[in-house]
Amino acid sequence: LSGQVGNGGLTAGFAQSTPERGATLLDGRGEADADQLKRVSVTEVTLRSGTTDITAWGNKNLTLYVPVDSSQFLKDQTYTVYQISADGSLEQHSGRCSNEEDGRFIRLNTSHLSTFIAVPAAKAALPFTDVKPGDWFYDAVAYAVDKGLFNGIDAETFAPGEAMTRAMLVTVLWRLEGEPKANSDSGFADVRQGQWFYDAVAWASASGVVAGTGTGFDPEGNVTREQIASILYRYAKIEGWDVTAGGDLEDFPDGWQTAEWAARAMEWAYAQKLITGKGSGLLDPQGPASRAEVAAILMRLLEL
């Protein structure tokens, strides 16, 4: 590189473009389907010395971290990246997605610079008759199912509008943790050996993720929005995640209704945009949450 740099110094450029631009450059080439093309991340990478573009440097390779949309590309997965040169020629790369200091990137090696089109994974068709493309919760449900966090209530039904129970939420976090075996009793009279949620509640209790309701665990009770915030806040602290952020609950006309024991957790959840206002502008801290809403909250949490 140094042999090609003149008095103008060296400037590196990273310009991101639209998915439509990526589709135009590919012009039907490659294996991306129509849905994937709507979600590609497109980046033009340049090196310039004065007015001269430097696109290659002998036979040497350069390692690039191409930025991608974190809502479309999952950490630790491998993706295809197409490289389009100025003459229109196409090369195909494969790179692993990772979180770096400034965001999410796909790492790849190349011998020259041009435009890079990162292609997200094809969306697998969900088996549920009540979750369809276009539903506001479709991506969240697909994400949760793909991660193994949620199951349908049967083979063809997800029940997105059904209220989430306390046992369901704790089981989701237990799956996220790798389904650890319970090392002690659940500590709750209403959670007994043999129940489908026993190991999950016992783990959550022993880990400090849940503390019960005062009269038991109430596994079949609908989990409220403030309870979700508190459970996720405790889980985040156990995981060592940053929980210092805090939002102002006075932004909501009913924010004052948040229980004192849940206020700090709800402030954090609001600041992180995990829990936001409902369509009426209310926080509804003591209201229930549906399975679709919890899937969306968990997707936001894990994407953070």
Side-chain angles (χ1 to χ4, degrees), residues 140-162:
V141 171
Y143 181 95
V145 171
D146 180 65
K147 291 287 187 182
L149 305 180
F150 274 70
N151 296 318
I153 62 172
D154 59 43
E156 297 183 350
T157 308
F158 184 79
E162 182 177 302

Side-chain angles (χ1 to χ4, degrees), residues 4-206:
Q4 301 185 62
V5 177
N7 294 331
L10 186 66
T11 302
F14 299 87
Q16 292 190 274
S17 190
T18 64
E20 290 78 12
R21 174 62 175 161
T24 298
L25 289 172
L26 282 173
D27 192 24
R29 297 174 294 173
E31 299 178 356
D33 61 29
D35 173 73
Q36 289 172 293
L37 289 174
K38 294 177 182 178
R39 300 180 290 119
V40 296
S41 286
V42 183
T43 308
E44 181 183 6
V45 186
T46 58
L47 283 175
R48 182 167 295 168
S49 179
T51 59
T52 303
D53 285 332
I54 301 174
T55 59
W57 38 93
N59 294 319
K60 301 294 185 182
N61 273 354
L62 183 71
T63 299
L64 287 182
Y65 287 82
V66 179
V68 293
D69 182 348
S70 61
S71 69
Q72 302 296 338
F73 294 82
L74 301 179
K75 179 176 177 287
D76 295 330
Q77 300 297 311
T78 299
Y79 294 92
T80 295
V81 180
Y82 293 111
Q83 182 174 1
I84 311 292
S85 298
D87 61 4
S89 60
L90 179 146
E91 297 176 54
Q92 182 173 326
H93 301 277
S94 180
R96 195 169 184 81
C97 189
S98 64
N99 285 342
E100 305 299 333
E101 183 176 350
D102 297 322
R104 187 159 296 175
F105 299 82
I106 295 177
R107 174 178 170 162
L108 56 88
N109 292 319
T110 181
S111 61
H112 60 104
L113 299 178
S114 52
T115 301
F116 298 85
I117 303 171
V119 181
K123 289 183 179 179
L126 291 172
F128 309 120
T129 59
D130 54 357
V131 180
K132 300 179 177 62
D135 290 335
W136 70 264
F137 48 79
Y138 182 90
D139 287 344
V141 171
Y143 181 95
V145 171
D146 180 65
K147 291 287 187 182
L149 305 180
F150 274 70
N151 296 318
I153 62 172
D154 59 43
E156 297 183 350
T157 308
F158 184 79
E162 182 177 302
M164 189 82 169
T165 68
R166 290 168 53 81
M168 286 178 185
L169 177 59
V170 168
T171 300
V172 166
L173 296 179
W174 175 69
R175 290 175 181 149
L176 181 61
E177 198 65 13
E179 301 186 2
K181 289 293 183 183
N183 295 320
S184 61
D185 186 80
S186 73
F188 302 111
D190 55 356
V191 178
R192 298 176 296 278
Q193 286 274 7
Q195 293 175 302
W196 63 266
F197 48 77
Y198 178 84
D199 282 344
V201 176
W203 160 79
S205 177

Side-chain angles (χ1 to χ4, degrees), residues 244-265:
T244 57
D248 188 352
L249 301 187
E250 292 185 3
D251 290 347
F252 303 94
D254 62 341
W256 61 272
Q257 294 179 5
T258 303
E260 183 177 354
W261 55 264
R264 176 68 195 98

